[in-house]
Amino acid sequence: MYTEFIKNVFLKKWVLTILTLLCLVSFSFLGYHLLRSNLYVLNNQRNLQTLVKKQVYVGNDQTSDAQIKKSFAGKSATKADAHARQVLNYLDQNYHYALRWSFDGNLANGRDVSIDTVNANFFTFYLISVASGRTFNARDYTSSSSEIPVLIGAKLAKSHPLGSKFSIVNTSSGKKEWYKVVGVMAANASVPSVYLLDNQTYLNNSIIRPFRKADRKNLTATQLMSAMQDLIVYDTSQAQLTKLTQKFNQGSFFKIRFISAKKNMADFYTNYKGTAIMFALISLIILAIATGIIIWNTWSCLKEEQSEIALRISLGLLPKNMLIAAIIYQVLISLVAVIPVTVYAVTYTKTLAQTAVGISSQIVLSGLLPKAEATSLVSIFALMLVITVFAVILVTSRFSKQSLAFRMGEE
């Protein structure tokens, strides 16, 4: 009964139905991205509170392309490496700091991974969840053993389980290293950035190794440059920070600036709020247009088919049946409208979760749809469903309350 009623009444105006679908699909995409972005911002803001409370300063790499070409070619590269080790020694002697550098590599099975080197203080500010095994201890950073303990991402646990050993070329140094898995990170373990609160680097395809004494002795300028962005310096004064900046920038090998985490986050919000408000307004306008078309379409279809409806009522159709049919029709429209963004979210994130590393892993996800993505989809669908169904209920209820016989008599 409902299928026939929907087909003969609500699907009479295909153009309006298609317009409704297009508007709702557009709203779904915009709303999904906006809500997901805001969820990331809220989550990352919470995760970065340690940096704010400790008055942390974060490195901002401002080295120009011209400097890189000049400093890392021929004999200049040797001088740059020597300068990098001097800067590291200066850091060790005068500052508390946390660093991480990341380079892409390949496992023996051909899988792309990122190889991240971190010092002990890194885990003070970035709480990496471990699903099994352990994190690094003090001995891991001082050991000179050829076997290096590592943490691996959730996507690598199947081929490299806890306790397994393997070798890989560490692309940051160009040397082959032997690793032992001491911990497997939880799915979607991540590293947020004070510069991009609406995103984060996932570690599902990452290998984390400790920054050891041997690494300090052989530090290269390339490694230090990779660590400069997001290099954390804390428990220091502005005067000491100025000295560190000058030390980095000596010889024109590097150019770095240190900005407080609090200011970085404030600058992000300054730029983000305007964009977020603009997208929110566009989304709401599109939803309003879609709702207007739904109201117009529903009323027009009911009015044009009032003779058909009167006949059905005489044959036993109840007003509540007409209302249920309208609700079913709108629920189906909303379900169809949310399919494209669902397919996009699942396909895109699943593909990246299997393959992307390094910078690309800022949007790598594990599982079908992690919490932020699933919450965004469900919330957008629920909002769209509630508003559109409420609209058809109002229109259909108003139509039902009027006397069909009277309206037909006027005709």
Side-chain angles (χ1 to χ4, degrees), residues 60-364:
N60 184 286
D61 181 12
Q62 299 183 341
T63 309
S64 66
D65 291 339
Q67 280 181 287
I68 294 173
K69 290 178 182 179
K70 182 180 178 180
S71 303
F72 294 86
K75 294 181 180 180
S76 295
T78 303
K79 294 180 180 179
D81 290 342
H83 176 65
R85 288 189 281 272
Q86 289 175 4
V87 171
L88 181 65
N89 289 333
Y90 186 72
L91 269 169
D92 287 336
Q93 293 170 11
N94 300 283
Y95 301 89
H96 297 288
Y97 68 95
L99 63 72
R100 164 180 169 262
W101 68 68
S102 179
F103 287 79
D104 292 349
N106 297 97
L107 293 171
N109 59 11
R111 182 160 193 162
D112 294 331
V113 296
S114 66
I115 305 172
D116 297 5
T117 300
V118 303
N119 72 340
N121 293 333
F122 174 82
F123 293 102
T124 302
F125 300 98
Y126 302 106
L127 305 178
I128 306 298
S129 301
V130 175
S132 60
R134 65 174 178 83
T135 55
F136 299 142
N137 55 40
R139 189 172 180 276
D140 293 330
Y141 295 98
T142 58
S143 173
S144 58
S145 171
S146 59
E147 188 176 271
I148 303 172
V150 295
L151 306 178
I152 63 166
K155 285 293 179 180
L156 306 177
K158 188 174 182 180
S159 58
H160 298 79
L162 186 67
S164 64
K165 300 177 182 180
F166 64 98
S167 62
I168 189 173
V169 174
N170 186 340
T171 48
S172 73
S173 63
K175 297 178 181 179
K176 189 174 185 178
E177 296 181 334
W178 285 262
Y179 296 154
K180 179 179 180 180
V181 180
V182 298
V184 177
M185 290 177 278
N188 295 330
S190 61
V191 179
S193 170
V194 294
Y195 299 106
L196 295 170
L197 290 177
D198 57 338
N199 219 323
Q200 53 196 14
T201 300
Y202 285 90
L203 304 172
N204 294 316
N205 292 306
S206 296
I207 299 168
I208 297 182
R209 63 185 294 283
F211 183 41
R212 310 195 308 167
K213 283 187 176 181
D215 301 318
R216 296 173 180 276
K217 294 177 182 178
N218 301 299
L219 182 77
T220 66
T222 303
Q223 290 171 333
L224 183 59
M225 181 181 290
S226 179
M228 280 165 50
Q229 187 74 12
D230 290 331
L231 173 65
I232 291 174
V233 180
Y234 59 100
D235 292 342
T236 189
S237 65
Q238 189 63 53
Q240 285 294 99
L241 205 64
T242 300
K243 291 180 181 179
L244 178 59
T245 304
Q246 291 172 347
K247 185 68 176 178
F248 259 102
N249 297 344
Q250 280 178 2
S252 297
F253 297 106
F254 310 118
K255 186 176 182 181
I256 192 172
R257 180 187 174 202
F258 287 96
I259 308 170
S260 72
K262 188 174 183 179
K263 185 178 187 308
N264 268 315
M265 294 171 70
D267 290 344
F268 169 82
Y269 277 114
T270 299
N271 297 321
Y272 179 79
K273 284 181 179 178
T275 303
I277 291 172
M278 180 185 70
F279 274 98
L281 288 174
I282 293 173
S283 300
L284 292 175
I285 289 171
I286 291 174
L287 182 60
I289 292 172
T291 304
I293 295 173
I294 289 167
I295 292 172
W296 181 22
N297 185 38
T298 304
W299 181 260
S300 298
C301 289
L302 290 171
K303 188 174 182 180
E304 288 184 11
E305 297 300 322
Q306 58 188 356
S307 299
E308 173 76 14
I309 294 171
L311 178 60
R312 289 173 180 272
I313 289 177
S314 67
L315 295 175
L317 178 73
L318 299 175
K320 70 174 184 179
N321 298 134
M322 185 168 55
L323 182 60
I324 292 172
I327 292 172
I328 292 173
Y329 166 71
Q330 192 52 52
V331 169
L332 291 174
I333 291 291
S334 298
L335 283 171
V336 172
V338 84
I339 287 175
V341 69
T342 303
V343 172
Y344 161 79
V346 173
T347 304
Y348 190 51
T349 55
K350 186 176 180 181
T351 300
L352 289 176
Q354 297 295 334
T355 60
V357 298
I359 296 300
S360 300
S361 65
Q362 287 181 342
I363 44 178
V364 169

